Amino acid sequence: MAVRAPSVSARPQLAERLRSAFLKGFGGPPPAVAIAPGRINVIGEHTDYSGGLALPAAIDRYVAVGVRPRRDGEVNISSDRFSGRVTLAGLPPARRGHWSDRVVGVARELTCALGERGGFDAAIVSDLPVGAGLSSSGALEVATAMALLAAWRTEMPGREIALLCQRAENGFVGARTGIMDEIAALYGRAGNALALDCRSLEWEAVPLPGSRFAWLLADTRVKHDLAAAAYNERRQECERAQQLMGVADLRDVTLQDLGRLPEPRLRRRVRHVVSENGRVRQAVDALRRRDAAALGPLLQASHVSLKDDFEVSSTELDRLVELASQISTVVGARMMGGGFGGCVLLLAHRDGLDQVEEQLSQGYVQTFQRRPEFYRVRTVDGALGGDGR
Ligand code: GLA
């Protein structure tokens, strides 16, 4: 299965690319189109699936999906990132271990919720890197759900779309992820992060540092083979700790409760979650005070906790964070997303970004004989616009 590299384009250009891809593949324009963004997460990592707090923001990298319903049950899916169109006689009952699984999983969940709707032709185009921890999966699922809903002339509240996409990812695809990615893709707001309570699914937009600062992603271009299995294992460990402590969510635990856990490993996992939830609260306070500098130590502490307590970092991520800490124009840096590879997120002064990239590149090449990839990202509105509530 050949993977093609993405080329960057803004939302309207991507919509245009989608129209031509659909035209080429299916001989007409797509009657329904939806575009959903990827995300960064300022802080609050591996907290969403235990009812915790996170601080994601949608970014200007997207997945666009075009859909045309069919009268028969056939399903055709094409993607600009993978060669070869997928043709299925109907929606398969189980995952096939294929890139098209997410589209099928979402379509199956929608069919469950709405009743049988028949087949469809779908084209996907994207400028969001896959496997870099920027939620290309969440964006693909949200865009697929919204395009199918539009094609079938049906509406669904955003929160239900988010939960349905999560069910597709957890059940059909088999990655037991939380809800952060879907909420960011749907409800993100330009210039803001969402202070997200993953238990109540309530959030508040919090203004991010202004134009003197920039978000930079340094992609290790490494994804370790066991990342998906290790992610599910972490979630299982959190669930076991919850059971042992008799709480519904780790959200209800304090650092004083750690002694109740028999295994040191579980204590470390829970210590990460509890301390990370605290760091999200502190980061939200700092943002509200417009104190960008205060984010630096919080990002740094989050990285150390993910590395030592939650054990989801990698030597490549650690090296980039270490290099970033030596650069005076970098406010803070940490690994971002599920971990075991992917990206480091940096908050830096906008002036001097070229130099930051240069310094990180040099150090990384020295250690690993390869260059990291950089993405300078802007925060944008989610798929439902400025305030989809
Ligand atoms: C992945 C998952 C999210 C979240 C992060 C870690 O991106 O999709 O739900 O758990 O990892 O914070």
Side-chain angles (χ1 to χ4, degrees):
M1 179 160 62
V3 183
R4 297 193 202 115
S7 58
V8 184
S9 39
R11 211 182 284 225
Q13 278 87 14
L14 200 68
E16 205 32 63
R17 264 175 57 201
L18 176 67
R19 264 181 216 104
S20 12
F22 200 95
L23 202 64
K24 204 167 142 216
F26 301 115
V33 168
I35 302 185
R39 56 112 190 85
I40 53 171
N41 184 22
V42 175
I43 200 160
E45 218 66 89
H46 282 279
T47 48
D48 60 349
Y49 50 79
S50 55
L53 307 173
L55 196 52
I59 55 168
D60 56 342
R61 296 290 192 116
Y62 307 92
V63 177
V65 177
V67 168
R68 183 175 62 194
R70 295 179 60 98
R71 284 185 212 284
D72 58 15
E74 195 173 293
V75 172
N76 295 299
I77 312 169
S78 74
S79 161
D80 69 340
R81 309 296 287 283
F82 301 96
S83 41
R85 177 207 282 197
V86 173
T87 295
L88 304 162
L91 290 173
R95 68 171 163 264
R96 299 156 63 237
H98 193 262
W99 59 262
S100 56
D101 281 349
R102 291 194 165 84
V103 175
V104 172
V106 167
R108 284 186 62 90
E109 283 294 337
L110 280 172
T111 306
C112 262
L114 307 169
E116 191 52 59
R117 296 286 164 136
F120 57 89
D121 298 326
I124 306 160
V125 302
S126 171
D127 62 4
L128 194 52
V130 173
L134 306 183
S135 177
S136 59
S137 312
L140 172 59
E141 284 160 353
V142 165
T144 299
M146 289 179 68
L148 281 170
L149 284 165
W152 293 334
R153 298 177 192 280
T154 310
E155 291 198 347
M156 187 177 270
R159 179 195 276 248
E160 270 179 49
I161 297 176
L163 291 168
L164 180 145
C165 291
Q166 189 194 15
R167 279 201 301 278
E169 183 73 21
N170 289 183
F172 194 78
V173 178
R176 301 191 57 227
T177 51
I179 195 72
M180 164 172 77
D181 300 351
E182 290 81 0
I183 296 286
L186 283 159
Y187 293 107
R189 194 181 309 174
N192 290 266
L194 304 180
L196 171 63
D197 180 328
C198 301
R199 176 152 67 184
S200 65
L201 295 195
E202 294 286 312
W203 69 89
E204 223 180 295
V206 186
L208 288 167
S211 55
R212 285 196 302 118
F213 296 92
W215 297 104
L216 174 67
L217 292 155
D219 188 348
T220 58
R221 295 166 69 207
V222 176
K223 194 76 196 168
H224 293 284
D225 287 348
L226 296 172
Y231 181 99
N232 285 350
E233 194 183 283
R234 292 299 178 282
R235 183 165 179 167
Q236 238 168 30
E237 288 171 338
C238 289
E239 286 168 354
R240 200 145 57 82
Q242 281 165 189
Q243 253 173 19
L244 286 168
M245 297 172 101
V247 292
D249 290 311
L250 290 184
R251 175 79 170 279
D252 301 320
V253 169
T254 66
L255 290 178
Q256 280 76 49
D257 297 320
L258 291 185
R260 287 163 48 204
L261 285 169
E263 295 165 42
R265 186 157 45 100
L266 286 191
R267 285 205 286 274
R268 288 202 303 279
R269 302 293 188 254
V270 176
R271 186 166 61 190
H272 164 71
V273 175
V274 174
S275 63
E276 187 77 351
N277 282 332
R279 284 185 288 273
V280 175
R281 289 193 189 91
Q282 286 176 274
V284 169
D285 286 348
L287 287 172
R288 290 211 173 105
R289 292 195 311 272
R290 304 270 172 183
D291 183 0
L295 290 179
L298 294 171
L299 298 186
Q300 223 67 27
S302 169
H303 184 79
V304 172
S305 178
L306 286 159
K307 169 175 170 281
D308 295 339
D309 278 350
F310 219 66
E311 295 177 280
V312 290
S313 190
S314 69
T315 47
E316 296 87 358
L317 290 164
D318 294 344
R319 180 76 182 122
L320 283 173
V321 169
E322 189 197 351
L323 290 163
S325 71
Q326 296 157 7
I327 305 173
S328 62
T329 57
V330 172
V331 178
R334 66 176 196 84
M335 60 144 281
M336 196 192 73
F340 311 103
C343 282
V344 162
L345 173 72
L346 296 100
L347 175 61
H349 289 267
R350 187 171 296 278
D351 289 340
L353 275 189
D354 288 342
Q355 223 183 333
V356 172
E357 290 187 6
E358 191 45 45
Q359 258 176 271
L360 292 176
S361 248
Q362 272 179 18
Y364 195 76
V365 169
Q366 256 171 29
T367 316
F368 301 110
Q369 291 76 51
R370 62 189 301 185
R371 289 184 164 275
E373 182 121 2
F374 295 103
Y375 319 116
R376 296 182 186 188
V377 292
R378 255 179 341 105
T379 58
V380 297
D381 287 344
L384 289 177
D387 192 354
R389 267 184 283 200

